[in-house]
Amino acid sequence: MAKNFTPHRIAFYIGIVVVWQIIAMVGIWPDNIFPSPYEVAEDLAYGASDGSLFYGIASSLWRLSVGLAIAIVGGIVLGIFMARMEIINQTVGSLVLGLQSIPSIAWVPLAILWFGLTDGGIIFVTAIGAIFAVTINTYTGVKNIDPHFIEAARNMGAKGSQLITAVLIPAAFPYMISGFKQGWAFAWRGVIGAEILFSYLGLGFLLNAGRSLTDVSQVIGIMLVIMVIGLAVDGVIFKRLENKVMSRWGLR
């Protein structure tokens, strides 16, 4: 993604809002079906004033952070084992590929049966949705390390955990960043989807509450908040981290 705020990008989004407002003013559809930008902003302002919007954002981000952290740690460990031990790659690796094809939302019924309607269930869905992307990218990164590089490290005394932390992870990190980004995207979708079905206060809950109340303004407003958070995390955190890593490796 390019720089976050460019004149063309700002003009593009302003244009969308203007067109949206014009369509709403023409009255092709009633307000309860197609609200104006002002009505959506008013609904978000009301949610901000009573604190429900900020509490929902904080709750969703907390579940996301815990679930994504579990996915990153678990994915790195599993990916390294798959890359370094062929028996694990031939067995667990095939299972990982199969499980990756299951959408996060499909894990919700199992999460409810295992954890009940608790935060633990939502975190499980979040983590399971992201872990396989991290695993596969870590595996790819470690597999692409030059064997001579690893052998040289061993000759210098690196072995065991030292080989992993000082050689394998740093060398595979450009690939792992891609896995983190994919994992974040899957985790964000997973936490919102799980909150909708678990009915636990969060952005997903607020989205479903708007649907229950036939409040299209709230539904659109929460969708915009979810999108803005996604763009912000990708641009502020992952893009900067990716640029730093790529620059250090001379890939940019």
Side-chain angles (χ1 to χ4, degrees), residues 138-149:
T138 300
Y139 164 81
T140 303
V142 175
K143 272 295 187 182
N144 278 278
I145 299 174
D146 188 340
H148 295 94
F149 183 62

Side-chain angles (χ1 to χ4, degrees), residues 25-165:
M25 291 175 63
V26 170
I28 300 175
W29 299 284
D31 290 346
N32 63 334
I33 298 296
F34 193 83
S36 68
Y38 175 79
E39 291 171 316
V40 172
E42 191 176 44
D43 207 292
L44 287 176
Y46 178 79
S49 65
D50 67 9
S52 61
L53 178 61
F54 297 122
Y55 188 83
I57 292 173
S59 298
S60 294
L61 289 179
W62 176 79
R63 294 171 187 136
L64 172 76
S65 299
V66 176
L68 186 58
I70 294 172
I72 287 174
V73 173
I76 290 174
V77 172
L78 188 55
I80 291 174
F81 272 106
M82 284 170 51
R84 300 299 297 167
M85 301 179 68
E86 188 59 28
I87 184 64
I88 293 181
N89 183 38
Q90 293 295 327
T91 53
V92 178
S94 60
L95 179 62
V96 167
L97 290 174
L99 292 175
Q100 189 190 28
S101 65
I102 301 177
S104 299
I105 202 70
W107 291 95
V108 170
L110 188 60
I112 292 175
L113 291 173
W114 281 356
F115 299 93
L117 296 174
T118 64
D119 276 327
I122 300 177
I123 291 170
F124 169 78
V125 173
T126 305
I128 204 72
I131 190 171
F132 303 121
V134 178
T135 299
I136 291 173
N137 278 272
T138 300
Y139 164 81
T140 303
V142 175
K143 272 295 187 182
N144 278 278
I145 299 174
D146 188 340
H148 295 94
F149 183 62
I150 297 176
E151 189 61 33
R154 281 177 170 164
N155 291 336
M156 296 176 66
K159 59 183 179 179
S161 60
Q162 184 183 20
L163 181 67
I164 293 173
T165 57

Side-chain angles (χ1 to χ4, degrees), residues 174-235:
Y175 289 89
M176 291 165 62
I177 288 293
S178 297
F180 297 164
K181 288 181 67 176
Q182 291 176 23
W184 136 255
F186 290 138
W188 189 225
R189 296 168 194 165
V191 73
I192 298 300
E195 286 175 348
I196 290 175
L197 297 179
F198 273 69
S199 295
Y200 257 58
L201 187 53
L203 290 175
F205 172 82
L206 294 176
L207 196 63
N208 195 41
R211 191 272 310 169
S212 299
L213 297 171
T214 322
D215 188 347
V216 182
S217 294
Q218 178 169 323
V219 171
I220 294 176
I222 298 301
M223 289 175 67
L224 290 174
V225 170
I226 293 171
M227 182 186 73
V228 169
I229 291 175
L231 290 172
V233 171
D234 183 78

